[in-house]
Amino acid sequence: MSAASDRDPFFDNAKFLLVVLVALGHSWDQIAGTDAVRALHTVVYGFHMPAFVLLSGYFSRSFSFRPGQVRRLASGVLAPYLIFETIYCAVYAEVRGTPFSITPTAPLYLLWFLIALFVWRLTAPMWKAVRFPVAVAVVISLAAGMTKMSYDLALPRVLMFLPWFVLGLRMRPEHFALLRTRTARIWALPAILVALAVAYVLAPGPDDNWLSMFVGYGELGVSPGTYLALRLVLFAVSAVLVAAFFALVPHRRTFFTTLGAVTLYPYLLHGLLIRLGEGAGVFAPLQAHGLPGEALLSLCAITAVFLLSTPPVRKLTRPLVEPRFPRWLIPKDSGQKASAEQVSTDERKPEGSETGLAVSGAMAQRR
């Protein structure tokens, strides 16, 4: 049976739709936006990263520090992070005229997710030994917002998004099956429409920092009690939106299903296009045209995701996005013969299979 036939199209569809939403959100960030776009932005940010992080946890359930898993984590997450951190530093220096300085401990822009995933996955075995892991992760997340901490290794986001990763670790196929029913689909769309209506009424608020999860209560200008209460409300609202999103994801193969296996490519590359667009000054004219300009920008973002997922782009950028773990760094087994079959099974991975952006590779889905 081929690897492709082993893949569940539901997860590939979900990942592709999520990376489209990420690209749209980052595009909308570049313009002030009408109230309608602000409402869309707020709702999308309410669930797209929680859903990504949840999927990352779901497909990290089998991580147990086996040597092959650690090597895949290093080559599939850590190496692309370091490579693209360097690339983004160069682009930022060119576009914004800042001194070129590589900052591996201070992730730029969207790269926070890779370093966060690296840290989350390393902790995956620990959560199996903890009672009430989701509740513990929620407490850690809330406590993080009550402190002041630097952005080294994206630590605020690592801690504040942690409950979604741990929830993913605890989920099983039957939980997703509940969201793939007709009943779930019936209530999913009204839930999202209500969220959009509320967000439209609140526009241009609320403060994006509530959803981006990298500042605490002090920076948000609220009391500790208000912060804790609103964060709990946000957890509940995000949970409803995440469930609604998964309920609306197509279950069968679509024209974009195969692209769901390679979403790391558009994720890492679309941010470069946005920064280059910033340098070229393309966003101000679009903003000046109001809603038509926003619609054009949205169409360009969606088109870019499709184009950045194509085979020619992947072939050209594969050494950067999916560098191979050097064979000469793999230690020889002591007392056991590392057969070629074992090496190929342990070391090879589907494109993008180590990130939460394309984590449901054929091997991961069978586990």
Side-chain angles (χ1 to χ4, degrees):
M1 183 178 294
S2 66
S5 64
D6 287 339
R7 300 183 70 93
D8 185 342
F10 170 77
F11 291 109
D12 283 336
N13 292 338
K15 292 196 302 292
F16 183 78
L17 292 174
L18 285 171
V19 82
V20 167
L21 292 175
V22 168
L24 285 171
H26 287 156
S27 299
W28 296 333
D29 283 338
Q30 309 311 307
I31 55 179
T34 61
D35 285 353
V37 170
R38 287 294 306 168
L40 283 170
H41 181 277
T42 298
V43 173
V44 165
Y45 270 66
F47 74 86
H48 75 324
M49 287 317 300
F52 255 142
V53 177
L54 185 149
L55 285 180
S56 301
Y58 181 72
F59 289 105
S60 297
R61 292 171 300 157
S62 63
F63 187 82
S64 58
F65 281 103
R66 294 198 302 272
Q69 292 177 327
V70 174
R71 286 191 285 268
R72 288 199 301 274
L73 183 60
S75 62
V77 177
L78 184 59
Y81 167 71
L82 295 173
I83 291 170
F84 276 88
E85 181 68 20
T86 303
I87 294 172
Y88 271 84
C89 286
V91 171
Y92 268 65
E94 178 65 26
V95 170
R96 298 186 174 179
T98 57
F100 174 70
S101 177
I102 300 176
T103 57
T105 61
L108 283 173
Y109 202 21
L110 48 74
L111 296 174
W112 71 268
F113 182 77
L114 290 188
I115 196 63
L117 177 60
F118 182 79
V119 175
W120 288 329
R121 188 162 291 177
L122 290 177
T123 70
M126 179 190 75
W127 295 106
K128 299 176 183 178
V130 176
R131 193 179 185 188
F132 310 123
V134 177
V136 172
V138 169
V139 171
I140 292 173
S141 177
L142 294 175
M146 301 296 291
T147 64
K148 274 193 171 184
M149 63 181 75
S150 71
Y151 198 66
D152 289 349
L153 299 180
L155 186 58
R157 280 172 160 162
V158 169
L159 298 178
M160 292 187 193
F161 277 113
L162 179 63
W164 298 105
F165 182 81
V166 178
L167 178 60
L169 286 173
R170 302 296 295 174
M171 291 190 70
R172 297 294 180 266
E174 53 268 26
H175 297 138
F176 282 102
L178 294 175
L179 299 175
R180 300 167 71 168
T181 62
R182 184 173 180 273
T183 301
R185 290 194 297 272
I186 288 174
W187 65 257
L189 185 58
I192 291 179
L193 291 177
V194 168
L196 286 170
V198 173
Y200 185 80
V201 171
L202 295 176
D207 189 333
D208 289 342
N209 288 332
W210 281 102
L211 301 173
S212 298
M213 301 294 176
F214 64 88
V215 297
Y217 81 95
E219 291 88 343
L220 290 168
V222 297
S223 67
T226 300
Y227 173 81
L228 293 175
L230 290 178
R231 280 290 309 279
L232 289 173
V233 170
L234 286 176
F235 273 132
V237 172
S238 293
V240 171
L241 292 176
V242 167
F245 167 76
F246 284 125
L248 293 174
V249 170
H251 306 158
R252 299 179 181 179
R253 293 187 64 82
T254 66
F255 67 95
F256 56 79
T257 298
T258 56
L259 303 182
V262 294
T263 45
L264 183 58
Y265 287 84
Y267 181 83
L268 290 174
L269 298 173
H270 86 272
L272 295 175
L273 295 182
I274 289 176
R275 291 284 78 92
L276 293 174
E278 174 190 330
V282 302
F283 297 114
L286 291 172
Q287 181 178 342
H289 284 83
L291 192 57
E294 294 165 352
L296 178 59
L297 178 61
S298 301
L299 179 61
C300 290
I302 295 171
T303 302
V305 172
F306 276 96
L307 293 177
L308 295 175
S309 304
T310 58
V313 173
R314 300 202 310 268
K315 182 177 181 180
L316 179 65
T317 59
R318 183 171 290 122
L320 304 176
V321 178
E322 294 190 281
R324 290 184 176 276
F325 192 91
R327 289 298 182 93
W328 59 273
L329 285 179
I330 302 176
K332 294 184 178 180
D333 294 334
S334 57
Q336 294 184 356
K337 182 179 180 181
S339 66
E341 180 180 0
Q342 179 181 357
V343 170
S344 64
T345 300
D346 203 32
E347 302 302 329
R348 291 186 303 180
K349 60 182 184 298
E351 290 176 311
S353 64
E354 275 307 307
T355 69
L357 305 168
V359 74
S360 56
M363 291 175 62
Q365 289 199 34
R366 287 198 294 267
R367 287 171 178 166

